[in-house]
Amino acid sequence: MSASQTSDVPTLLVKIFGKDRPGITAGLFDTLAAYSVDVVDIEQVVSRGRLVLCALVTEPTVASQGELRATIHSWAESLKLQAEIISGTGDNRPRGSGRSHVTVLGHPLTAEQTAAITARIADKGGNIDRIFRLAKYPVTAVEFAVSGCETEPLRTALATQAHDIGVDVAVVSAGLHRRAQRLVVMDVDSTLIQDEVIELFAAHAGCEDKVAEVTAAAMRGELDFEQSLHARVELLAGLDASVVDKVRAEVRLTPGARTLIRTLKRLGYQVGVVSGGFTQVTDDLKERLGLDFASANTLEIVDGKLTGRVTGEIVDRAGKARLLRRFATEAGVPLSQTVAIGDGANDLDMLNTAGLGVAFNAKPVVRQAAHTAVNVPFLDTVLYLLGITREEVEAADGDEEDLLH
């Protein structure tokens, strides 16, 4: 029976409550089957071992209605469950136009924060159709399916609210594209890794403090990146090339980086990095992590020494966005299906070019301009913004262990 055929048909909403166990859903529909009803809708939720099962079915003949109600209540009581049966007409009301997925990350997620987010959704005319927990650690991640308002205005409103109450919120348009193959491109320094690579080099040259000062100003958007890059690299002139291996060994991945990349790759995503740092490090990361793309500046080395110059095209703010487009073309992925992750002002063009730009523990100017922000120190929380649950991540890890053994 089609939706149009059920619009004026008498229906029953059968609600079952109680302790969850295997076989309840099968038992309910086996009981209903004796009355030749059609299933219009089903929803089931289990929270802390307690079940709420709702079945919307067509009403049976008048003669058998009383018998159906009595039978359902008797079956429920035999399993120490509660049953409620409500008469009505037709199916659920249609969802409003404009549908979005709203993902909220809290560490922890408080009732006060949840109240503020859901109130803002209502203020924008949105209705919450479903709520689903994606993860309980290392953060609490909850997804709301919202209809009735357009994605962009909702994203703008919730971004302001999230900043004020201290949670991370991502709003993306609903649709099949959300689970389609994607390209994810990350910044490296202070995103994929915990370090600023040029500062690691500078530590070996004895000029770490001076380089760090220039780097911080550049990341805040106070200095032209290319000029600051040349100024910092000049301070490395004369370093022995053997320092490259030392710096590679010192690089520390951000917590969750391996899990993020490993999970994305298993799901068929392509993953790349772009960096204002150096190919001497990014090429090594590409090989170690199995990345599909990597691009960065290159330190010039002559006669076994760093010259204090870089060679080739400079990877700056505009260059990162240009490389995102290039990677997307090579990957055969439309820009709308790309995700960019970064923390600094020189990542902004890339974040705004991507279908979803994620500011990761970013400077204020970047948080305000990006589509969404993540302010917890776990890079794999980005998976939740893509609708991937913690259980799916762990299941994929388990599959790999099985294959390895």
Side-chain angles (χ1 to χ4, degrees):
M1 187 177 292
S2 68
S4 60
Q5 290 174 310
T6 62
S7 59
D8 298 319
V9 171
T11 52
L12 296 177
L13 176 60
V14 181
K15 302 172 71 177
I16 305 297
F17 313 86
K19 185 178 180 181
D20 187 34
R21 74 202 76 169
I24 292 177
T25 306
L28 172 63
F29 285 97
D30 185 54
T31 304
L32 289 168
Y35 298 91
S36 301
V37 297
D38 295 334
V39 178
V40 179
D41 196 5
I42 311 170
E43 289 202 26
Q44 179 172 308
V45 175
V46 177
S47 183
R48 211 177 68 179
R50 306 298 293 182
L51 167 80
V52 178
L53 169 60
C54 297
L56 185 64
V57 299
T58 54
E59 200 173 71
T61 62
V62 174
S64 59
Q65 275 192 52
E67 181 184 341
L68 179 148
R69 289 174 180 268
T71 303
I72 293 296
H73 281 289
S74 177
W75 166 81
E77 287 173 7
S78 72
L79 296 176
K80 297 183 178 179
L81 300 170
Q82 293 178 287
E84 181 181 359
I85 304 172
I86 304 171
S87 297
T89 303
D91 197 352
N92 304 307
R93 64 180 177 83
R95 295 180 184 177
S97 61
R99 299 181 186 178
S100 306
H101 294 288
V102 177
T103 306
V104 181
L105 308 180
H107 189 55
L109 179 62
T110 68
E112 183 179 7
Q113 292 166 335
T114 306
I117 292 297
T118 53
R120 183 56 63 93
I121 291 173
D123 289 343
K124 299 303 291 183
N127 185 72
I128 299 172
D129 300 317
R130 287 186 176 87
I131 304 173
F132 181 70
R133 186 179 71 183
L134 295 167
K136 59 183 178 181
Y137 70 91
V139 298
T140 300
V142 179
E143 180 177 287
F144 299 85
V146 177
S147 62
C149 58
E150 297 302 318
T151 298
E152 287 302 323
L154 182 61
R155 175 185 286 161
T156 300
L158 291 182
T160 302
Q161 183 75 67
H163 179 266
D164 292 343
I165 63 175
V167 296
D168 298 332
V169 176
V171 182
V172 298
S173 178
L176 292 175
H177 64 274
R178 194 174 186 219
R179 283 299 188 99
Q181 185 186 49
R182 287 188 174 186
L183 167 68
V184 178
V185 176
M186 289 174 276
D187 173 44
V188 175
D189 293 7
S190 298
T191 300
L192 178 62
I193 66 174
Q194 301 177 57
D195 312 282
E196 292 287 333
V197 168
I198 196 165
E199 292 179 13
L200 296 180
F201 277 101
H204 291 280
C207 56
E208 184 177 12
D209 290 345
K210 190 170 184 179
V211 165
E213 182 180 334
V214 179
T215 299
M219 293 300 99
R220 291 192 300 267
E222 297 170 2
L223 294 176
D224 173 79
F225 178 80
E226 183 172 350
Q227 291 178 338
S228 70
L229 174 68
H230 288 305
R232 289 174 291 175
V233 171
E234 284 177 6
L235 298 172
L236 307 181
L239 269 180
D240 193 272
S242 63
V243 78
V244 169
D245 289 333
K246 295 177 183 177
V247 167
R248 286 175 175 174
E250 292 167 352
V251 165
R252 301 166 299 162
L253 292 174
T254 297
R258 287 187 184 276
T259 299
L260 172 67
I261 294 169
R262 185 170 60 238
T263 304
L264 291 173
K265 295 293 291 179
R266 287 188 195 129
L267 292 173
Y269 288 46
Q270 297 186 63
V271 185
V273 293
V274 292
S275 177
F278 310 110
T279 57
Q280 282 84 357
V281 171
T282 57
D283 288 351
D284 180 62
L285 290 170
K286 181 181 180 184
E287 182 178 352
R288 285 167 50 196
L289 300 174
L291 302 173
D292 299 283
F293 305 98
S295 189
N297 300 301
T298 299
L299 290 169
E300 184 181 63
I301 298 175
V302 176
D303 296 330
K305 301 286 186 182
L306 274 64
T307 65
R309 296 186 294 270
V310 292
T311 62
E313 185 179 6
I314 296 297
V315 178
D316 56 7
R317 177 169 169 166
K320 288 188 174 185
R322 185 168 57 250
L323 286 163
L324 172 67
R325 294 188 185 94
R326 183 190 303 171
F327 294 167
T329 299
E330 293 177 14
V333 174
L335 279 175
S336 61
Q337 294 301 109
T338 61
V339 180
I341 311 168
D343 75 298
N346 64 330
D347 297 315
L348 273 175
D349 288 3
M350 176 178 72
L351 298 181
N352 290 324
T353 298
L356 176 65
V358 180
F360 181 72
N361 292 310
K363 283 68 178 174
V365 66
V366 183
R367 288 200 305 268
Q368 293 165 11
H371 297 141
T372 190
V374 170
N375 295 299
V376 294
F378 313 108
L379 193 57
D380 53 338
T381 55
V382 173
L383 293 168
Y384 308 142
L385 307 184
L386 306 179
I388 299 166
T389 68
R390 190 73 200 180
E391 287 78 8
E392 289 172 316
V393 173
E394 292 172 352
D397 283 344
D399 290 342
E400 180 176 81
E401 291 299 318
D402 291 341
L403 289 173
L404 289 174
H405 290 89

